[in-house]
Amino acid sequence: MTMTDETKARQEMSEFARGLYNRGLAPGSSGNISIRLADGCFLVTPTESSLGYIGPADIAKLSADGTHLSGPKASKEVPLHLAAYESDENVGAVVHLHSSYCVAATLLPDVNGSAVFPPLTPYQVMKVGQTALIPYHRPGDAKVADAIRDVAGHYRSLLLAHHGSVVTARTLREAVFAAEELEETAKLFLLTHRLSPIQLGDGQIADLCTHFDCAIPDPSAWAS
Ligand SMILES: [Zn+2]
């Protein structure tokens, strides 16, 4: 990635971070986003800062192995981002949020760990796929990164119990839109939980996957 492209990536991160904050998806100093540049280096939002107020220069740059190169200190949740990139070379951006409905869904006692949300809408199936649950670990604990490494290659969306969501995509734009779609899915799930909502059927899901080229990691977890 050329210098111009890095400048563009910083601009994009600043704008999408503000958008997430303005939608109420990154309250306080929570949430962090990152981009993998073409040369393998990473741009990550800084620690102890609000996503609502990050300028293009207020972003940390890390080497491919995660060493700090320039800018402010990166979020302490960097290991979680690096684990997601390690799992899939096609991942170009990671969005991690503490958004309310996603966290709430992880607090229910009967969550299906390999598909937290049933298939409720076509855009959920297309944009976020199935969502795996990572058991609770203290934020920053290496076990979070280990658990993400185990599943991130298969899933584009994860929930960390009692904590938040992790969404990966090829571009930041796609990852942000998917993170928003995931939060809407969590909201629909909680609105209909225990009301026996009608789910999309196997045939409808297969049709979506064929038409929109999306893979489902564990079809049996959604089998109706
Ligand atoms: Zn977090």
Coordinates of all heavy atoms in Angstrom, one line a residue, residues 31-32 77 80 96 98 163, ligand 1:
G31 N -14.7 0.0 22.2 CA -14.7 -0.3 20.8 C -13.4 0.1 20.2 O -12.7 1.0 20.6
N32 N -12.9 -0.8 19.3 CA -11.7 -0.4 18.5 C -11.8 -1.1 17.1 O -12.4 -2.1 17.0 CB -10.4 -0.8 19.3 CG -10.6 -2.1 20.1 OD1 -10.6 -3.2 19.6 ND2 -10.9 -1.9 21.4
E77 N -6.6 -4.1 23.3 CA -7.3 -5.3 22.7 C -6.6 -5.7 21.3 O -7.2 -6.5 20.6 CB -8.8 -5.1 22.6 CG -9.4 -4.8 23.9 CD -10.9 -4.9 24.0 OE1 -11.5 -3.9 23.5 OE2 -11.4 -5.8 24.5
L80 N -6.5 -9.4 20.2 CA -7.8 -9.9 19.6 C -7.8 -9.6 18.1 O -8.2 -10.5 17.3 CB -8.8 -9.2 20.4 CG -10.3 -9.1 20.1 CD1 -10.9 -8.5 21.3 CD2 -10.6 -8.2 18.9
H96 N -14.3 -4.2 16.5 CA -14.7 -4.8 17.8 C -15.5 -3.8 18.6 O -15.0 -2.7 18.8 CB -13.4 -5.2 18.6 CG -13.7 -5.5 20.1 ND1 -14.6 -6.4 20.5 CD2 -13.1 -5.0 21.2 CE1 -14.6 -6.5 21.8 NE2 -13.7 -5.6 22.3
H98 N -18.5 -3.0 21.9 CA -19.2 -3.4 23.2 C -20.7 -3.0 23.0 O -21.3 -2.5 24.0 CB -18.6 -2.8 24.4 CG -17.2 -3.0 24.6 ND1 -16.5 -2.5 25.7 CD2 -16.3 -3.9 24.0 CE1 -15.2 -2.9 25.6 NE2 -15.1 -3.7 24.6
H163 N -18.9 -9.3 26.9 CA -18.0 -8.3 26.5 C -18.4 -7.6 25.2 O -18.6 -6.4 25.2 CB -16.6 -9.0 26.3 CG -15.5 -8.2 25.9 ND1 -14.2 -8.6 26.0 CD2 -15.4 -6.9 25.3 CE1 -13.4 -7.6 25.5 NE2 -14.1 -6.6 25.1
Ligands
ZN1 ZN -13.5 -5.0 24.2

